[in-house]
Amino acid sequence: MVPQESAPAPENTAPETSAPRTGPSRRLSATVARWSAPIRIVLGLAIVAVGVVFLLVSMTVQTIALVTGIGILLAGVAVLLTAGEGNGQDDDGSASRPAVVIVARVLGGLLVLLGAGMALWPVAGAPLLSLLLTIALIVFALATAARAFRPGADQRVTGIIAAVATLAVAAITVFWPVLTLVVFRLGVGAWFVFIGLQLIVRAFARRSPATNAPRRPWVRWLRTIGASVALVLAVALAAGSGALLGGIPLPVPDAFYTPPAEVPSEPGTLIRSEPMTVGVPAGAKAWRILYTTTNPDGSPAVSSGTVLAPENPGPDPLPLLTVSHGTVGVVPGCSPSLSAAPFADGAGTAMAAMVTEHGWVAVTSDYIGLGTNGPHPYLVGDAEARNVWDASKAVLGFRELRVSTDTVIWGHSQGGQGSLWTGQIASSYAPEFTVKGVAAFAPASNLYALAEAIKSETAGKTVSAYIAATWDKVFPELNVEKSLTPGSAGPVERIGGLCFNGHDGLAAILRGSQVPNQIFPDALLDGPFGDKLKEQEPTGPFPAPVLVAQGLADPLVKPAIQDAWVKARCDAGIPVDYRTYPGLGHVELVGPDSPLTPQLEQWTLDRWDGKAPTPDCDHLPAG
């Protein structure tokens, strides 16, 4: 037989892109393929290291941005390395690349650029860096999903789970845009550890290109379990963040808080009352009251309040405690009389003791805008004081009780400023009352100095948000809302809708922690708005002995500001009994276990009995 001649190979039987590479290009690709696993292991260890640094090392905002950028850049390199894995080809790219692989590599390149931008520009500011990180996480999730759908990919469900987990982490960065927050660091740090470990596992378990051997079953399960755990943790953290920041549904004022069609014109007139049963201390009884008062501009208004009295008051007039409450929020649902603990505000333990043990009656105004329609005059001293006095006037016409026109005034924080103003305007606004003493606990005595001192701190941003949310309505001529620092309007609106007590109090503080800059720009503080802040300082004179209590560990009302205010009063010839408490913060000062609690009771009883006060202007701190 004559051997047949072999037929020549047909030309151009495959697309040009599928032709194997030759020469240096092929050798380079073969080298990359050979070193692929070690490279992935090193890369995975580097990403895990970034996550560990996030979890364990305390860093500044700029350092966090730098480390985050490095981690995102490494994640982008990982996406580039693994984009074509599992599509039935070697890493030398000898087969045609499907569109999903191209998309994954484009997204990987974008991640590298985003990470490099964050690492090289860490001083860009928290909001921009947070935005870049959110974009980077979304890009990584898309690249992960694209890889899961490439031809020949196994464990598509695992890839999709990992992509959804990454999107959940992206949601966390939206909730917590300030990069120093612990929750942010924990979430993103854990994400870096997860993707680094995943890369290492993939490197060890990667099937051989020559044999195309299937993965071991334990590797598949390990990846699926790891992705599922990451998803559960990320979703739980994102959902928890949303719950923390969202607050709780506020109580809705019912018909009691709606004034009648015809309201008496005289401020301090009782409109209606109803008994209270929730949160009333043992041995006492209580009522809600609705009464007439005035708006900050002097126009007629209606406010609500509470009355706390001994369980068996008797027929004789009882000593009157006039109380100005502290910050609870600035919207109607935050009213103390609607709260589940309406008598816990401020020195609540001391107030309950004055009522149940000493037979006093405590009257507290909600202020307008809390319970009733506003606007609430938040930290507007004269307006708050008129609301407070009108509550006490209304109780003079309350048939359930007889109260004395002699009174002692109390207040904490916002209420401390309010109590000082209530005493300051007593002779002109409430001449029918005789003030026996004025007590202020951590009062916001110098509002301008306070705004300057805490403008960049979390608590200061929360208080500033309440001021901005109300003063734009109380003093429209100031145009406060239009003058806020860029990006502050949204947080102000959200914080303004949260109360400052219980779960909502935590939400308000956390919201404040996420405002990247001070809310009031310096130019606003230096103008008419700053002048209005200065007008809220109660300078006296006061009609009775004054007690000021201050915790020396107070992060909100700074002790140095209080020292200066007291010294200025003393220099003006106004004696002040100034008591300081080392180690006590803003809330702890008026807590049940505070040494102020029994001292306040005794000081109040001494004022009622006409004992000589004990001012200590000669013992003020130096400075």
Side-chain angles (χ1 to χ4, degrees), residues 18 50 66 101 139 175 201 208 234 259 353 474 488 502 531 560:
S18 64
V50 170
L66 173 64
V101 175
V139 170
F175 285 129
V201 171
S208 168
V474 175
S488 294
D531 295 337

Side-chain angles (χ1 to χ4, degrees), residues 226-312:
S228 299
V229 170
L231 174 61
V232 170
L233 292 177
V235 170
L237 196 53
S241 299
L244 280 175
L245 294 173
I248 58 176
L250 298 181
V252 178
D254 56 23
F256 176 84
Y257 295 88
T258 303
E262 294 185 8
V263 176
S265 59
E266 183 67 20
T269 301
L270 182 65
I271 297 174
R272 68 172 69 105
S273 65
E274 70 175 17
M276 298 177 65
T277 57
V278 176
V280 180
K285 57 183 179 180
W287 298 264
R288 288 186 182 89
I289 58 172
L290 193 71
Y291 62 94
T292 58
T293 185
T294 56
N295 284 304
D297 62 3
S299 59
V302 171
S303 181
S304 54
T306 58
V307 179
L308 186 66
E311 199 166 30
N312 299 300

